[in-house]
Amino acid sequence: MRQAEFDGKGSCIRWTETPGEEPARVYVHGLGSVSTVYHAHIAARPELAGRRSLFVDLPGHGVSDRPEDFGYTLEDHADALAAALDAADLTGVEIVAHSMGGSVALVLAHRRPELVSRLVLTEANLDASPPATAGSTWIDAYEEDDFVAGAHARVLEKVGPLWAATMRLADPRALHRSATGLRRGSVPMMRAILEGLSIDRVYLQGELSGELEGRKMLEATGVRVVTVPGAGHNVMLDNPDAFVAAVAGTE
């Protein structure tokens, strides 16, 4: 495990990594998740073997620190991720990112373009105010102090055992602020960033999640949109073969 300070006050973002050739692949989790749980089985596949791989836990999540006075906006998370990549002496990485992690990756690519050479995004949030079915709405429905005081436990019961297993590891205040920041979006908005990038961009949409809004426009700007059969929001768990093919560029 490695770490890098991200807030100027000694708080550290942490990651585990496996050695290999570069460009490195950097795996980033979604809201209330942990990178290794969602991506270690992907990076271990023979099709992806031999590449340096980093599994980063964003601030407030997993093994990373969770300072109470941190903002946990998308920009804050992106800057913390940049601190990890700088500490790892990396540029031009491929980022494989899920849900909120995809939003963070887009903001990173906008703020520090030299760090990112390719994006593989799995159902990344592209717009502000996602629909009521989005997990962030269950968290942001409460005031921050109410969430910390007890609503966190109620949300854990609602989200089901898989997500709850990692969400319970996230700091409640950090989780709430991350959800609020995700629903607020970024400036420019994540969708605009994705459309404006010139690097290789892949967007994975689970078939069970329905049609991706604005798909034609994304494709017109060069984004390769892949609908993954038999998969919902957690594509890497529901259809790992298709996910690996997308990461490897053979889909």
Side-chain angles (χ1 to χ4, degrees):
M1 183 169 61
R2 298 186 60 186
Q3 64 182 32
E5 185 178 337
F6 65 81
D7 65 350
K9 302 177 182 178
S11 302
C12 289
I13 183 171
R14 296 186 176 88
W15 67 96
T16 56
E17 68 173 86
T18 60
E21 297 179 357
E22 297 183 9
R25 291 194 180 103
V26 178
Y27 295 87
V28 186
H29 61 83
L31 180 68
S33 299
V34 176
S35 283
T36 51
V37 172
Y38 281 76
H39 293 117
H41 68 294
I42 297 297
R45 289 281 293 262
E47 303 96 312
L48 303 178
R51 292 283 286 277
R52 186 179 178 186
S53 299
L54 284 71
F55 306 91
V56 182
D57 286 346
L58 295 171
H61 294 73
V63 296
S64 290
D65 286 340
R66 47 205 67 201
E68 187 172 347
D69 59 351
F70 193 63
Y72 298 97
T73 65
L74 291 175
E75 290 82 3
D76 290 334
H77 281 301
D79 289 347
L81 181 56
L85 297 183
D86 288 341
D89 196 25
L90 288 171
T91 57
V93 304
E94 297 184 9
I95 298 187
V96 183
H98 181 221
S99 198
M100 183 188 79
S103 305
V104 172
L106 286 167
V107 174
L108 175 68
H110 175 70
R111 293 166 75 89
R112 295 285 305 277
E114 77 281 5
L115 294 179
V116 185
S117 64
R118 183 174 185 250
L119 289 170
V120 180
L121 307 176
T122 305
E123 296 211 358
N125 301 72
L126 300 180
D127 307 298
S129 301
T133 55
S136 59
T137 65
W138 305 343
I139 298 169
D140 192 46
Y142 299 93
E143 295 296 327
E144 181 178 308
D145 287 341
D146 292 338
F147 185 77
V148 173
H152 177 240
R154 294 195 291 275
V155 171
L156 286 178
E157 294 177 356
K158 183 176 181 179
V159 301
L162 181 64
W163 195 11
T166 58
M167 187 184 289
R168 66 185 179 181
L169 304 177
D171 177 78
R173 195 172 300 278
L175 186 62
H176 189 277
R177 291 181 186 175
S178 295
T180 301
L182 179 60
R183 291 181 58 75
R184 184 186 305 121
S186 62
V187 179
M189 195 58 65
M190 298 84 76
R191 184 180 295 272
I193 294 173
L194 179 57
E195 292 175 348
L197 292 172
S198 58
I199 59 176
D200 184 34
R201 295 152 291 159
V202 181
Y203 190 102
L204 302 180
Q205 177 77 357
E207 177 188 30
L208 304 180
S209 298
E211 185 63 26
L212 174 63
E213 181 179 351
R215 175 173 184 156
K216 290 184 178 180
M217 179 61 71
L218 290 176
E219 291 178 329
T221 64
V223 180
R224 191 159 67 257
V225 180
V226 180
T227 299
V228 181
H233 186 59
N234 299 323
V235 174
M236 71 293 295
L237 304 179
D238 296 337
N239 191 336
D241 290 342
F243 191 88
V244 168
V247 175
T250 59
E251 82 287 348

